[in-house]
Amino acid sequence: MKVNVAHLMDAGNALYLAYDHGLEHGPTDFNIDNVDPEYVLDIAVKGRYNGLILQKGIAEKYFEHYRQKVPLIIKLNGKTRITHNDPYSPITCSVKRAVELGADAVGFTVYDGSPVESRIFSDFRKIQEEAHDYGLPVIAWMYPRGKFVKDDTSIETLAYAARVGLELGADILKMKFNSDIEGYRWVIKSAGKVPVVCAGQSKVNDVDLLTNAHNMMQAGAKGMAIGRNVWQHENPLGMTKALKKIIFEKKGVDAALKSISRQ
Ligand code: FBP
């Protein structure tokens, strides 16, 4: 069953705001402002993001007021970084509950190559089929990980992950970028018709972030799903504007940088 992703994109490109870090990393990523979910929800609305990525708990407690103001992407699995088991992200929310919360899409992390890959694929099959029954697109975090994955950002590994996402029925792939523009074109090619958006990274300076964003777009990515580099920024809406210049207006890094200082 083919589902539509047009409501999650603008003319084929997209910028999503991720805020699932409280579960994945703990409050260590937060300061006194962005520890408050409302601070980040506000950025998502004012920045007119194509989607806001939340775990169920934050959506239940905070999203009601923001319904219809920004598309909601509910993450259906997640884990802490306290455990050091084989990479496995258990299901934390059902598709049905995501629909009740007003989700416009669901997200799911697939650690391909993990020693427990068969369990992950089985979980993914379940949520992918249920989501498609509701007409909801599935965004797959394709993160190769575990002791059998020698280099999780090599082109070969990333291209395999992209292909796995296509084969398993994801509708959008969220993947790490490795800064190799030429090589990454093969990753994008391997994803076939499935658009690839690149994940962010821990906080870096503006020039490095925007250069990376520009390189991703040159390599054929359709946009980004980013978190820390926006809501940890002293001017989150300025950074949003800068990223939009690159993703939607196809501007260069210098033009994008100017929109941060003008904000
Ligand atoms: P950032 O832009 O802040 O890097 O967020 C992207 C993201 O994929 C989040 O959705 C997720 O919480 C986190 O990174 C997981 O990253 P990792 O598994 O590498 O800790």
Side-chain angles (χ1 to χ4, degrees):
M1 183 177 169
K2 189 168 181 287
V3 303
N4 201 337
V5 295
H7 62 293
L8 294 171
M9 304 192 116
D10 281 327
N13 292 117
L15 181 60
Y16 306 118
L17 190 62
Y19 189 59
D20 56 337
H21 304 66
L23 178 61
E24 297 288 334
H25 300 161
T28 177
D29 281 347
F30 303 145
N31 64 21
I32 196 69
D33 293 322
N34 56 41
V35 71
D36 180 358
E38 291 197 11
Y39 177 84
V40 177
L41 268 66
D42 213 48
I43 296 168
V45 172
K46 289 191 178 131
R48 301 174 70 88
Y49 276 78
N50 296 104
L52 169 66
I53 299 157
L54 298 178
Q55 278 281 351
K56 171 174 79 175
I58 303 265
E60 284 179 350
K61 307 259 182 321
Y62 294 87
F63 192 71
E64 189 58 37
H65 173 65
Y66 297 83
R67 255 184 193 239
Q68 312 298 337
K69 294 184 182 159
V70 60
L72 175 64
I73 300 163
I74 290 281
K75 193 75 200 310
L76 297 183
N77 65 347
K79 61 160 185 53
T80 71
R81 65 172 170 195
I82 303 167
T83 71
H84 289 280
N85 297 334
D86 289 331
Y88 177 70
S89 191
I91 293 178
T92 50
C93 179
S94 66
V95 173
K96 180 170 174 282
R97 187 53 55 91
V99 170
E100 286 162 4
L101 284 165
D104 298 280
V106 292
F108 196 93
T109 301
V110 174
Y111 295 125
D112 61 300
S114 164
V116 294
E117 184 190 80
S118 56
R119 202 158 139 214
I120 296 168
F121 281 13
S122 168
D123 289 351
F124 187 80
R125 178 197 62 75
K126 182 174 155 53
I127 68 94
Q128 191 268 1
E129 291 178 3
E130 285 174 12
H132 282 198
D133 285 346
Y134 282 103
L136 277 191
V138 178
I139 304 178
W141 279 224
M142 295 305 304
Y143 289 178
R145 206 163 283 184
K147 64 185 178 198
F148 300 121
V149 178
K150 297 294 167 238
D151 179 358
D152 65 343
T153 56
S154 76
I155 292 303
E156 195 189 345
T157 305
L158 289 170
Y160 199 166
R163 195 65 179 195
V164 170
L166 167 67
E167 303 268 355
L168 293 183
D171 304 295
I172 296 176
L173 306 181
K174 178 178 184 210
M175 303 198 52
K176 308 256 174 179
F177 183 62
N178 70 352
S179 301
D180 171 1
I181 302 177
E182 270 314 308
Y184 209 80
R185 294 200 171 109
W186 179 240
V187 178
I188 303 285
K189 199 86 187 151
S190 301
K193 285 185 178 177
V194 184
V196 174
V197 296
C198 291
Q201 55 192 126
S202 53
K203 183 85 170 62
V204 292
N205 69 56
D206 294 352
V207 175
D208 286 355
L209 181 74
L210 295 173
T211 303
N212 222 21
H214 190 257
N215 290 345
M216 290 166 194
M217 298 306 288
Q218 297 303 307
K222 298 296 184 192
M224 292 186 82
I226 188 168
R228 289 165 286 183
N229 276 282
V230 170
W231 43 256
Q232 287 180 353
H233 199 279
E234 60 190 8
N235 181 357
L237 292 177
M239 177 48 81
T240 301
K241 211 167 162 193
L243 289 167
K244 287 183 153 192
K245 287 253 175 240
I246 289 172
I247 293 170
F248 300 106
E249 297 178 34
K250 313 295 176 210
K251 297 281 198 248
V253 174
D254 289 345
L257 273 170
K258 282 187 197 133
S259 57
I260 301 182
S261 44
R262 261 196 253 118
Q263 188 79 20

